[in-house]
Amino acid sequence: MTFSAEVKPTTRRTDVLEWVSEIARLTKPSSIHWVTGSESEQRHLIDVMVAAGTIAQLNPEKRPNSFIARSHESDVARVESRTFICSTHQKDAGPNNNWAEPDEMRSTLGGVFTESMRGRTMYVIPFLMGPIGSPVTRAGIEITDSPYVVMSMGVMTRAGIVAMEVIDSGVDWVKAVHSVGAPLEQGEADVPWPCNTTKYITHFPETREIWSFGSAYGGNALLGKKAFALRIASAMARDEGWLAEHMMLIRATSPDGRVKHIAAAFPSACGKTNFAMLQPTLPGWTIETLGDDIVWMWVDEDGKLRAINPETGFFGVAPGTSEKSNPVAMETMWGNTIFTNVAVTDDNDVWWEGMTRETPDHLIDWRGDDWTPASEQPASHPNARFTVAISQCPSTAAGWDDPHGVVIDALIFGGRRRTTMPLVVEARSWQHGVYLGATMASERTAAGEGIVGELTRDPFAMAPFTGYHVGDHWAHWLAIGERLAQSGHAPRIFQVNWFRRGDDGRFLWPGFGENIRVVDWIVKRLSGETGGVDSPIGVLPHRADVNMHGLTVSDADLTELLTVDHAVIEEDAISAQSVLEFAGVRTPQSMWDENAETLRLSS
Ligand code: OXD
Ligand code: MN
């Protein structure tokens, strides 16, 4: 295999050159393109994709330099059932992952990747997760035959020459191989969204490798994101003593100038992006955005928990995003945005369910068909996405990419629960907080597979993302807590639920910008300014301590939001035992102790 004449290797590292040649010998692409990250390369990729019908330009007057991509109907979300952790021992992958024996999987992959890039260009994308100079920043190289992946990785990571220079300095790098699995015969016409009905999203945590086959969609294909920054990084973090978590990250500044950094874990499509861009309704408060999906945290030399966002972009869920729910996101996507599986208006702009009050009379739906409000299916796919740089976000915090990161003051776990869980509660201790994270439950959304609405336990919102045994993940959190306790700098842990409903199905809490009232209470707790009410699941706010200035919520609703029913909590704690049993012998005893304590307090 010869390298393409136009784009020569951007490295001299022999291990990189040998690996790229090895993958090229296996997959037989027609050319190799070493990604530089330049503007001319961007333009070239756009031309290639527009010509192939993969993307189409939106109205440049309304949304400059923005594009619509429509995926294949079968390739619309992460495929957890086809996601594998290939650790040497099955017990290390844990019951939370599909396990495959590494040699067997390598042989399967050897089969499916054979000549899988025939007729296509193979792109080599060097990328960094994290800013240059941070102790937790890590490098990777993704090989892909999808220009859509190249363009998206360019938004989501620090990709191109900038990353190769770091790799060339001699650091370790993660090998990530991706193919859409749709080789082209000579003369065969391409399709707009090539993919394969067979999919493998595989991870080898011990050798820090990723192999992804058959899908070009988001988390399956942009391998810096879920595959590296969560599955592989969580295993690295366990080995090296840090944390790689499915969390958003904000800086909250109170009217009297107190600055707090908060990281919050919510399952996919539960409002992390909205929370990260919250527009406070309480006067004087500011929320600034540092990240919306993934946080890497480490204990610094002072014993404080520090955090960075390893990504550089948002891959956000579009439906439901509006001027009302998230004006900042709407502003962020003014241009330079890739939209996937949204609907297109007659004036060639984007639309999705929940974006405007009025539904347009006519649209082209995410499948590319004519659509009217009489159509039975939604116009945009429920997991339609926008991909846009964090630097475009008006609420992005100054220094968001500081390699030193920020010191975390509070951690939040949240889920989507119609019943049972109050608006906010503070854990009794770090250990109890870890229990709240371990037993987190949420109703399923369209971001993954399964029945939407079904209540599932999703420990730390990491069920699809922990690259090792879930019980060891809890033990790792406990060990980090012990290190933080030694310095007396452990962040406090809270649980929130914005999604509580009344018997009539109505949301009891308005959410969005009003969630600042919960942040306000959390910051008051951090400053020791307010007490609380003990409950079986932790400390609840006194009603009078929740700043309700300017917001009307009925007394009955507020009572329901701020109290817990002991019988219901007892039932929930019994049900939570299923997740502790699920993790089996690797469940730390202290998680059972916390469960017993919850039962004792609620009975
Ligand atoms: C995501 C997800 O894409 O969690 O962020 O599914
Ligand atoms: Mn996510």
Side-chain angles (χ1 to χ4, degrees):
M1 163 59 48
T2 53
F3 295 117
S4 107
E6 302 83 41
V7 191
K8 294 257 169 16
T10 50
T11 181
R12 293 218 190 113
R13 256 184 90 153
T14 46
D15 58 342
V16 175
L17 293 168
E18 275 163 19
W19 176 68
V20 170
S21 297
E22 184 195 321
I23 303 302
R25 276 195 302 276
L26 173 68
T27 59
K28 298 274 189 296
S30 53
S31 61
I32 301 180
H33 176 131
W34 293 76
V35 172
T36 61
S38 71
E39 266 180 42
S40 59
E41 181 180 73
Q42 278 290 321
R43 280 196 297 277
H44 165 75
L45 291 169
I46 290 168
D47 290 347
V48 166
M49 282 190 282
V50 169
T54 308
I55 60 171
Q57 175 134 30
L58 293 162
N59 186 337
E61 314 250 297
K62 300 201 147 227
R63 228 167 272 272
N65 194 33
S66 296
F67 299 88
I68 163 82
R70 293 190 182 93
S71 79
H72 189 272
E73 288 194 22
S74 66
D75 198 21
V76 292
R78 287 183 291 97
V79 282
E80 283 158 33
S81 58
R82 303 299 305 161
T83 300
F84 299 89
I85 298 293
C86 309
S87 47
T88 307
H89 303 291
Q90 179 164 12
K91 58 184 188 325
D92 293 334
N96 45 309
N97 285 303
N98 300 315
W99 176 78
E101 200 281 319
D103 289 340
E104 260 172 49
M105 183 54 91
R106 279 186 199 286
S107 129
T108 305
L109 293 170
V112 295
F113 274 89
T114 296
E115 300 198 15
S116 72
M117 298 190 187
R118 212 172 45 228
R120 299 191 181 280
T121 299
M122 178 175 118
Y123 300 90
V124 182
I125 321 169
F127 64 96
L128 295 179
M129 301 312 297
I132 294 177
S134 157
V136 290
T137 290
R138 297 289 181 268
I141 302 180
E142 176 164 357
I143 287 180
T144 179
D145 53 6
S146 162
Y148 170 86
V149 167
V150 181
M151 185 149 140
S152 305
M153 282 288 286
V155 177
M156 299 304 297
T157 71
R158 295 158 177 90
I161 298 281
V162 56
M164 198 58 109
E165 279 172 3
V166 173
I167 293 172
D168 272 347
S169 74
V171 299
D172 289 343
W173 50 282
V174 167
K175 295 174 177 167
V177 188
H178 169 253
S179 173
V180 294
L184 290 167
E185 297 304 334
Q186 198 142 35
E188 186 185 339
D190 204 356
V191 292
W193 188 276
C195 61
N196 195 308
T197 44
T198 301
K199 298 188 190 343
Y200 288 96
I201 321 296
T202 66
H203 310 72
F204 296 77
E206 286 132 358
T207 50
R208 320 287 200 222
E209 271 172 276
I210 304 159
W211 290 76
S212 167
F213 178 88
S215 168
Y217 198 86
N220 300 328
L222 315 182
L223 299 183
K225 196 171 180 61
K226 304 301 185 180
F228 182 165
L230 290 176
R231 298 194 191 98
I232 294 292
S234 62
M236 288 175 160
R238 170 204 54 191
D239 296 347
E240 299 167 8
W242 50 284
L243 291 165
E245 298 293 323
H246 192 204
M247 290 180 152
M248 64 104 229
L249 181 60
I250 52 171
R251 174 177 303 152
T253 307
S254 68
D256 56 5
R258 273 171 296 173
V259 178
K260 302 286 175 200
H261 291 104
I262 302 175
F266 293 79
S268 306
C270 285
K272 279 201 301 298
T273 307
N274 292 343
F275 192 15
M277 300 177 186
L278 186 150
Q279 288 292 282
T281 53
L282 284 179
W285 275 94
T286 316
I287 297 288
E288 292 167 277
T289 312
L290 290 129
D292 82 325
D293 195 40
I294 298 174
V295 170
W296 286 0
M297 296 181 280
W298 71 101
V299 182
D300 72 8
E301 48 294 348
D302 297 331
K304 293 182 178 160
L305 191 64
R306 279 191 178 267
I308 56 156
N309 170 11
E311 301 189 285
T312 53
F314 305 121
F315 179 65
V317 178
T321 310
S322 67
E323 288 301 337
K324 187 162 176 278
S325 68
N326 193 339
V328 177
M330 297 302 284
E331 215 183 302
T332 305
M333 352 169 184
W334 62 266
N336 306 323
T337 305
I338 310 163
F339 295 92
T340 305
N341 290 343
V342 302
V344 172
T345 60
D346 288 349
D347 57 358
N348 199 19
D349 198 9
V350 289
W351 192 85
W352 48 78
E353 277 66 23
M355 177 172 166
T356 52
R357 244 173 215 281
E358 308 259 296
T359 302
D361 292 338
H362 176 258
L363 294 162
I364 301 296
D365 72 9
W366 70 276
R367 294 184 169 89
D369 296 332
D370 283 309
W371 186 95
T372 69
S375 305
E376 276 169 17
Q377 303 289 334
S380 67
H381 187 276
N383 193 32
R385 299 283 179 141
F386 57 86
T387 310
V388 65
I390 186 168
S391 57
Q392 261 186 223
C393 173
S395 65
T396 290
W400 72 274
D401 55 355
D402 182 346
H404 301 106
V406 295
V407 174
I408 297 293
D409 299 291
L411 294 160
I412 300 181
F413 300 119
R416 185 183 280 274
R417 297 203 60 176
R418 310 177 147 251
T419 63
T420 314
M421 289 304 169
L423 182 61
V424 58
V425 62
E426 181 177 355
R428 287 184 278 274
S429 62
W430 181 274
Q431 176 174 300
H432 180 233
V434 173
Y435 171 79
L436 293 181
T439 55
M440 252 170 85
S442 192
E443 290 143 21
R444 274 190 199 280
T445 68
E449 292 167 310
I451 302 161
V452 172
E454 191 181 59
L455 188 76
T456 45
R457 296 278 158 192
D458 185 349
F460 287 81
M462 284 282 281
F465 307 124
T466 306
Y468 60 98
H469 196 297
V470 59
D472 292 351
H473 185 227
W474 305 340
H476 185 53
W477 267 85
L478 292 168
I480 294 275
E482 274 167 30
R483 282 166 62 196
L484 294 166
Q486 279 166 17
S487 62
H489 289 309
R492 307 255 289 267
I493 302 182
F494 297 80
Q495 177 189 275
V496 301
N497 177 23
W498 318 135
F499 300 95
R500 186 74 184 261
R501 302 215 196 196
D503 291 341
D504 51 3
R506 171 181 60 83
F507 285 106
L508 296 182
W509 181 249
F512 305 111
E514 304 295 1
N515 292 336
I516 192 66
R517 297 166 197 276
V518 173
V519 173
D520 173 87
W521 183 74
I522 289 174
V523 170
K524 283 196 276 205
R525 288 287 296 170
L526 295 177
S527 311
E529 262 171 54
T530 179
V533 186
D534 287 335
S535 89
I537 54 168
V539 181
L540 293 160
H542 283 295
R543 254 173 81 148
D545 290 340
V546 180
N547 186 340
M548 294 299 285
H549 183 78
L551 174 67
T552 312
V553 170
S554 75
D555 274 357
D557 286 0
L558 203 53
T559 304
E560 206 164 334
L561 283 161
L562 297 180
T563 45
V564 294
D565 178 327
H566 283 215
V568 173
I569 292 297
E570 186 178 14
E571 221 176 279
D572 191 73
I574 292 169
S575 120
Q577 291 174 349
S578 63
V579 77
L580 305 185
E581 274 157 14
F582 174 73
V585 291
R586 297 215 193 177
T587 298
Q589 178 53 39
S590 58
M591 295 295 97
W592 283 109
D593 297 345
E594 291 295 342
N595 182 262
E597 181 66 356
T598 310
L599 286 171
R600 188 185 69 76
L601 293 170
S602 56
S603 62

